[in-house]
Amino acid sequence: MQYLLMIYSAQGAGPEYGTPEFGKLMTGYQTMTAEARDNNVMEGGEPLQGIETATTVRVRNGKTEITDGPFAETKEQLGGYYLLNCKDLDEALSYAAKIPTAEFGSIEVRPIWDMTSVSE
């Protein structure tokens, strides 16, 4: 089953770019990614650019509204994701716990809805 692991943290909550702590964070990501690839559960994943590049689209009463920034009014922002094909939720959760940002942010794990099984 496919699971999307969404990586959230508040801006500035993690180590600062260029510091040794940031290097450790990146090494942690490389280790987790390598493990998921080696175990053949990795189907995709990418970091996202900063929230200053985000644009949100809403349609209300037939009118399209476009605003700068992420969709939610929250301090935590989506920073990236992994798409994994795991045997069950427990396996997906074990990978989520290995994502370094879990130490200062949060990882939301959600199963992908297989729309091929939905009949009209």
Side-chain angles (χ1 to χ4, degrees), residues 2-119:
Q2 288 183 314
Y3 292 89
L4 186 64
L5 284 58
M6 294 171 280
I7 305 163
Y8 289 94
S9 66
Q11 196 166 8
E16 188 175 327
Y17 179 79
T19 64
E21 294 79 15
F22 185 81
K24 271 183 67 176
L25 179 75
M26 291 297 99
T27 298
Y29 269 100
Q30 292 166 348
T31 300
M32 189 282 185
T33 301
E35 181 180 340
R37 283 192 178 129
D38 291 347
N39 291 327
N40 295 315
V41 299
M42 182 83 167
E43 294 202 348
E46 297 295 337
L48 301 177
Q49 292 186 19
I51 60 166
E52 66 279 359
T53 67
T55 304
T56 299
V57 177
R58 294 178 179 88
V59 177
R60 301 291 188 268
N61 300 317
K63 182 179 179 195
T64 302
E65 301 173 5
I66 299 174
T67 55
D68 292 337
F71 78 96
E73 298 298 326
T74 179
K75 290 184 183 193
E76 287 193 335
Q77 300 118 25
L78 180 63
Y81 69 93
Y82 283 96
L83 177 60
L84 304 181
N85 194 341
C86 298
K87 65 182 178 212
D88 56 27
L89 178 61
D90 288 337
E91 183 181 21
L93 294 174
S94 72
Y95 281 105
K98 295 174 183 178
I99 296 173
T101 301
E103 294 182 16
F104 55 86
S106 61
I107 312 301
E108 180 181 345
V109 178
R110 292 177 67 180
I112 300 295
W113 186 5
D114 180 5
M115 295 298 290
T116 61
S117 64
V118 176
S119 60

